[in-house]
Amino acid sequence: MSDEEIILHFKSTDTRSYAFNLLVRKYQQKLYWLLRRMVVDHDDADDLLQNVWIKVWQNLENFKAESQLYTWLYRISVNEALSHLDKKKRRFFLPLGDVEAELGNKIDTGNTISGDELQIKLQKAILKLPEKQRVVFQLRYYDEMPYEQMSKVLDTSVGALKASYHHAAKKIEAFIVGTD
Amino acid sequence: MNQDKDIHDELQGIAPHLSRIEKVEPFEVPASYFEEFPARVRDIIALKEAKPETGWLGQWIPRYSYIAASLCFLLIVGGFLVVKNTGTPSAIVAASQQTKATPNDEYVIEHVDEDVLMEPLPAANQETQATKVKQETPAVKNHTSNVSEQYILENVEESTITEEL
């Protein structure tokens, strides 16, 4: 079922739950992985994913088809992840480096990450990026999102996003090559 | 994970080592997490939407309580302002009544020469009339009134008094 059809079903009270269930099943994995890569911890990602879907339930009725549903869902998720990291910094008066170190420790504990050494290095390199650059890199590298769509998600110009991705990829490359 | 050719080429141009790393989701997820998640979210939303049943009374009481509280506030403020405003004129009236000369005093002022009037009055009564009246206690007031009457009887001709009356 297309997103438009799901929205139509959602707007009818009889089929609302059915449409919502379809929507969750369709996008839960993509949104989960976006959140998980941002916050590393599964429980945090799970909490954020729940918040995202609660917001979708509360606001989908007023969703205007000016943007794609997929873009809107990503936008909500990115905002949730960034505000979670921001709260974490403010709650513990932590500088950005400490949050990055905390997330890096979670990667080091081993039982939360699968894959080989190179994958662990890659994740640590991604964590070294500034938060917004990290979002840009992940949307492009993992989600293979076109810049035009990313521009709508992040409310940033295509040129700025290209530059941001370029810098991010260069930094990660340097980290991987340097620590190899 | 599908490789978009343009995206891969772009990455190869920027970071050749990175482009050769296999793209996999790096984290582990608890077993059957994605199967159970939709039902869990539904339960959470249902719980959030299930508000405590208050009935028709419960729906109206809060609304009326806000109105009642607003009215009480307005009454208190209004009452305070009324008391404040009405208090000032009555005080002025009372003060003006206090300072108002009695009929006897008026008669003395009109018919008795000032020099004559000042001469026999005691030193305590040499203050201005207005100040004196303001500070006058009932006993002093009576005394002043008696002195005035006595003075009139002694110094004003009877025919003048009768004529005035």
Side-chain angles (χ1 to χ4, degrees):
Chain A
M1 195 183 281
S2 72
D3 287 353
E4 290 75 22
E5 284 171 318
I6 292 175
I7 293 168
L8 276 177
H9 279 95
F10 186 85
K11 286 182 178 175
S12 163
T13 46
D14 295 339
T15 51
R16 174 167 294 182
S17 291
Y18 165 73
F20 185 71
N21 198 37
L22 282 179
L23 199 63
V24 174
R25 286 188 185 281
K26 190 172 179 181
Y27 287 109
Q28 62 171 343
Q29 292 206 29
K30 283 185 180 226
L31 300 183
Y32 171 82
W33 286 118
L34 172 70
L35 294 166
R36 181 77 190 269
R37 283 184 235 115
M38 285 298 291
V39 299
V40 178
D41 186 67
H42 166 75
D43 291 335
D44 288 347
D46 181 49
D47 285 346
L48 295 178
L49 192 63
Q50 284 174 25
N51 292 346
V52 168
W53 287 113
I54 289 166
K55 284 183 179 171
V56 171
W57 173 267
Q58 288 168 340
N59 297 295
L60 187 59
E61 202 174 11
N62 303 319
F63 175 75
K64 288 166 189 163
E66 287 163 0
S67 61
Q68 284 182 17
L69 183 63
Y70 169 74
T71 309
W72 185 63
L73 294 175
Y74 264 76
R75 196 183 174 110
I76 296 172
S77 304
V78 167
N79 287 341
E80 279 292 318
L82 291 177
S83 62
H84 169 82
L85 293 172
D86 198 41
K87 270 183 211 163
K88 206 167 193 167
K89 272 185 281 179
R90 274 188 284 136
R91 196 181 305 151
F92 301 110
F93 303 103
L94 292 173
L96 180 65
D98 288 359
V99 176
E100 174 214 311
E102 191 200 325
L103 298 179
N105 285 339
K106 282 180 183 171
I107 289 174
D108 281 333
T109 53
N111 55 357
T112 59
I113 191 162
S114 55
D116 54 20
E117 277 295 308
L118 199 55
Q119 287 296 334
I120 293 170
K121 265 182 201 167
L122 173 59
Q123 291 311 311
K124 284 189 174 177
I126 293 171
L127 283 179
K128 287 194 176 296
L129 299 173
E131 280 163 11
K132 282 180 185 165
Q133 207 172 58
R134 191 141 56 100
V135 176
V136 173
F137 180 79
Q138 291 188 351
L139 290 178
R140 186 72 176 165
Y141 181 77
Y142 286 107
D143 296 298
E144 298 179 344
M145 191 180 275
Y147 285 118
E148 289 73 22
Q149 202 164 12
M150 211 192 293
S151 168
K152 286 171 189 160
V153 172
L154 300 176
D155 214 10
T156 309
S157 71
V158 169
L161 291 171
K162 279 183 183 175
S164 185
Y165 179 69
H166 185 93
H167 287 301
K170 281 275 180 205
K171 282 183 202 171
I172 292 168
E173 176 88 344
F175 184 85
I176 289 168
V177 172
T179 54
D180 229 355
Chain B
M1 199 176 284
N2 293 327
Q3 284 277 6
D4 183 271
K5 197 176 178 307
D6 289 345
I7 293 173
H8 181 76
D9 290 350
E10 179 193 34
L11 186 64
Q12 207 169 22
I14 306 165
H17 283 88
L18 178 60
S19 69
R20 285 198 291 273
I21 296 174
E22 192 193 358
K23 280 187 193 177
V24 289
E25 288 299 352
F27 302 103
E28 287 171 348
V29 186
S32 66
Y33 172 73
F34 291 117
E35 286 75 39
E36 291 165 6
F37 185 78
R40 206 148 54 82
V41 171
R42 258 198 329 270
D43 291 347
I44 292 165
I45 289 169
L47 203 70
K48 273 189 176 282
E49 293 209 326
K51 291 173 188 169
E53 200 61 49
T54 50
W56 67 270
L57 194 63
Q59 286 177 346
W60 285 99
I61 283 174
R63 195 180 298 173
Y64 280 128
S65 66
Y66 289 132
I67 296 167
S70 307
L71 283 174
C72 283
F73 176 75
L74 286 173
L75 280 172
I76 290 165
V77 172
F80 176 75
L81 288 173
V82 167
V83 167
K84 197 180 172 190
N85 287 337
T86 52
T88 308
S90 64
I92 293 165
V93 169
S96 67
Q97 279 172 349
Q98 270 191 342
T99 53
K100 200 173 176 182
T102 59
N104 284 342
D105 293 337
E106 281 173 15
Y107 188 83
V108 171
I109 291 161
E110 280 176 25
H111 295 90
V112 181
D113 194 33
E114 194 180 357
D115 295 334
V116 179
L117 190 63
M118 295 300 285
E119 202 175 287
L121 287 176
N125 291 339
Q126 283 181 3
E127 297 170 75
T128 59
Q129 191 69 12
T131 317
K132 195 181 83 179
V133 171
K134 268 187 194 172
Q135 294 171 347
E136 228 173 30
T137 59
V140 174
K141 196 176 175 182
N142 289 338
H143 173 72
T144 313
S145 180
N146 292 339
V147 169
S148 302
E149 281 170 16
Q150 198 178 346
Y151 188 83
I152 291 164
L153 290 173
E154 284 173 9
N155 295 288
V156 183
E157 284 179 19
E158 195 180 344
S159 60
T160 316
I161 296 168
T162 317
E163 198 180 271
E164 282 298 318
L165 289 171

